[in-house]
Amino acid sequence: MYGNDFSDASDEPAGGLIDQVEAAEAALRAAATQARPGAGVDLSEASESDLDYYFTAVIEADQKIEPRDWMPDSYRKTLIRQIAQHAHSEIIGMQPEGNWISRAPSLKRKAILLAKVQDEAGHGLYLYAAAETLGISRDELVDMLLEGRQKYSSIFNYPTLTWADVGAIGWLVDGAAIVNQVPLCRCSYGPYARAMIRVCKEESFHQRQGYEILHTLSHGTPDQQAMAQDAVDRWWYPSLAMFGPPDTDSTHSAQSMAWKIKRFSNDELRQRFVDMCVQQAGFLGLRLPDPDLRWNEQRQAHDYTQPDYAELMRVIKGDGPCNRQRIDHRRRAHTDGAWVRAAATAYAAKRAARTLEPAQ
Amino acid sequence: MSVSVEHLLRLGDDALVAAQRLGEWAAAAPEMEEDIALANIALDQLGAARLLLSYAGEREGAGRDEDALAYLRDDRQYRNCLLVELPNGDFAVTMAKLLFLAAYQLPLYTALSRCGDERLAAIGDKARKESAYHLDHASLWTVRLGDGTDESHHRMQAAIDQVWPYTHELCAADPEAPVDPSSLRPAFMATVDAVLTEATLVRPADGWAPSGGRSGVHTEHLSYLLAEMQVLHRAHPGARW
């Protein structure tokens, strides 16, 4: 109910990003009406190099690779890893915000937060469904998450200590996610691009809600203002780190760019995010905790202090403040729910058997 | 007949406390689909609570809005039935509570949708559609668990046995209420009996029938629930959020 209820793009704290999502959606529709390279060619006997030729041609023409198309094994694996990590992040990301549902300070905020956490579970489901088109099951992916063989976003290993953190997550974390995800609306793999279009529309609404929470706090009592500033102080660098290691250290970038899975480098997106946030922090009346943050006339962009990448690596490797707690919680929900899932399976089998009986 | 503040609080508090308990399931449900469903039902209950409490505040005319009523009353001033404040327990207990609550709220809201108070009738009309969905969801799970595995059957029966005594308060007679709850008992029993039969479960014998929620005499659970729900709001008197 909240997911699609956003007004025109000029009101959005995310500014023109929503326009870009809509442009990507239009491009996707237009691409579907054009003939694809290799369309009508019988590829049943084609050699691997012919298949690779058509695969590359489709990507170069900005057409979409679809589940039944031939694709290089490493393209498939890269996408599975990336989409699964994205899906896991939505599911783990329910926890830090879910932590405040019971204590939300007004009934309206409680309702908005409940709807947001519900949307996140929905995003997790779309993304698992997109990953499943690549030939892996959701159960396998969930097992990999629970066994620590696949990652989720480092940001969700930080604790939500005050109500203002819910606002900071909406503004900064969802803001960073949107900056990261809007280009994915043009990703070369069709099911992922389509999932991202849907996800980005809802995320931009969540970002606006987070911005509103912080705006109310920063214009509230002195205690509320301090709470808002403290939250921004704690979430700023972890949000910058969400874009991943600097370009010089990024292992997957070059190939993902060539495949049009990634469209911009980590550092380009991080810069875009910083520039967006500086302006909004001004409207909020909150300070970004970086004494060296300033406009660089020559670059037409803000200079800023890089996040602590050693900390990022520690968190990714499992030693952030909440890694153990988040994964323990997920495992417990999975284990405690096993008997319920077993009952549903057993009941479905009994029902199927009963439906068959009269026919026999 | 014009509805009293007291009756609006009873309706609103049932929905609010039910929403608070369901919200505790966020990110902890047995399946991701169920995380979505429980949050969805919590949102419906919260939505009904907000409408009912806002109306109660206006009828009272003392300047209390939905938040003043939700966050600044103590447990002795809450008017919800005991059923909704019971802890979530395992998934079977949650479903047993939801089954009984929905089997009561559906005929209640349906009857209210035809009551003489126009505003309450409109709220009832909106809420009855949501209750039908809640009842459907809880019925499906009660049947799946009751007729699933041996373990789920035992757990579902234990949950029904544990929660059943609290259902008597739901339909306690109150001739002054806009809809006398005792008039809902036949519909409630018919729904519950049909679901339990299909689920291969047994309805417990009637006996112990705890009550007191409607007069603010609650179980020991409610004070903790409110302490958590109200902590932030109370720490910042007069603040806007």
Side-chain angles (χ1 to χ4, degrees), chain B residues 26-189:
Chain B
E31 296 182 333
M32 294 170 205
E33 286 80 355
E34 198 56 23
D35 266 318
I36 296 179
L38 293 176
N40 205 316
I41 297 170
L43 262 176
D44 288 344
Q45 293 284 354
L46 186 53
R50 294 180 64 192
L51 293 171
L52 290 160
L53 292 181
S54 294
Y55 188 27
E58 288 171 38
R59 286 303 292 270
E60 183 187 51
R64 292 201 287 183
D65 63 6
E66 60 179 32
D67 287 337
L69 287 169
Y71 289 96
L72 299 176
R73 278 183 301 148
D74 294 323
D75 57 319
R76 293 282 288 113
Q77 296 160 322
Y78 260 73
R79 291 292 177 262
N80 60 280
C81 61
L82 303 182
L83 173 78
V84 293
E85 72 196 44
L86 299 177
N88 283 336
D90 68 6
F91 188 70
V93 171
T94 291
M95 282 303 131
K97 285 171 58 183
L98 185 61
L99 174 69
F100 297 142
L101 181 66
Y104 156 76
Q105 283 184 330
L106 178 58
L108 170 66
Y109 286 135
T110 304
L112 286 174
S113 73
R114 297 188 289 256
C115 79
D117 182 303
E118 206 173 307
R119 173 122 164 230
L120 184 56
I123 297 171
D125 194 46
K126 180 175 185 297
R128 78 189 163 87
K129 295 168 194 153
E130 296 165 349
S131 291
Y133 161 73
H134 306 166
L135 179 59
D136 192 45
H137 193 74
S139 301
L140 282 169
W141 272 116
T142 303
V143 171
R144 276 188 205 119
L145 297 178
D147 194 18
T149 63
D150 285 345
E151 183 188 6
S152 70
H153 178 85
H154 289 305
R155 284 189 188 234
M156 194 66 228
Q157 184 66 57
I160 297 283
D161 292 349
Q162 181 191 327
V163 175
W164 180 254
Y166 295 90
T167 61
H168 298 290
E169 186 186 27
L170 298 175
C171 298
D174 181 359
E176 285 173 24
V179 171
D180 182 350
S182 65
S183 70
L184 307 171
R185 186 79 178 169
F188 172 84
M189 292 299 276

Side-chain angles (χ1 to χ4, degrees), chain A residues 85 88-89 92 145 150-154 157 323 326-327:
Chain A
Q85 176 171 328
H88 300 331
S89 300
I92 298 289
L145 169 67
Q150 282 186 333
K151 309 283 187 207
Y152 55 88
S153 177
S154 57
N157 294 312
N323 297 59
R326 299 289 184 244
I327 212 72

Side-chain angles (χ1 to χ4, degrees), chain A residues 155 168 172-173 176 234-243 270 273:
Chain A
I155 195 79
L172 294 173
V173 175
R234 282 181 290 110
W235 287 91
W236 173 246
Y237 282 115
S239 301
L240 287 189
M242 281 174 72
F243 294 92
R270 190 168 9 243
F273 176 68

Side-chain angles (χ1 to χ4, degrees), chain B residues 200-215:
Chain B
T200 71
L201 297 167
V202 182
R203 173 156 57 80
D206 293 336
W208 182 54
S211 69
R214 302 302 184 201
S215 51

Side-chain angles (χ1 to χ4, degrees), chain A residues 2 91 94-95 100-111 114-115 117-118 121-122 125 128 138 142 163 216-217 221 223-224 227 329-330 333 337 339-344 346-347 350 354, chain B residues 16 20 23 26-33 35-36 39-40 42-43 46 50 53 66-67 70-71 90-92 141 143-145 147-149 151-152 155 198 228-229 231-233 236 239-241:
Chain A
Y2 292 95
I91 297 304
M94 295 166 71
Q95 291 180 43
W100 281 91
I101 290 174
S102 66
R103 294 171 291 166
S106 75
L107 297 185
K108 180 183 162 194
R109 291 289 172 207
K110 189 192 289 283
L114 257 170
V117 172
Q118 184 189 13
L125 293 186
Y128 283 121
R138 179 170 117 188
V142 168
W163 169 251
T216 307
L217 295 176
T221 66
D223 281 350
Q224 286 177 307
M227 192 193 282
H329 181 96
R330 196 65 246 150
W339 70 274
V340 176
R341 296 190 300 277
Y347 175 73
K350 282 186 201 177
R354 276 178 219 142
Chain B
L16 177 59
Q20 184 73 3
E31 296 182 333
M32 294 170 205
E33 286 80 355
D35 266 318
I36 296 179
N40 205 316
L43 262 176
L46 186 53
R50 294 180 64 192
L53 292 181
E66 60 179 32
D67 287 337
Y71 289 96
D90 68 6
F91 188 70
W141 272 116
V143 171
R144 276 188 205 119
L145 297 178
D147 194 18
T149 63
E151 183 188 6
S152 70
R155 284 189 188 234
E198 196 189 343
E228 186 176 347
M229 186 172 90
V231 60
L232 178 58
H233 188 96
H236 297 266
R240 282 195 332 109
W241 300 96

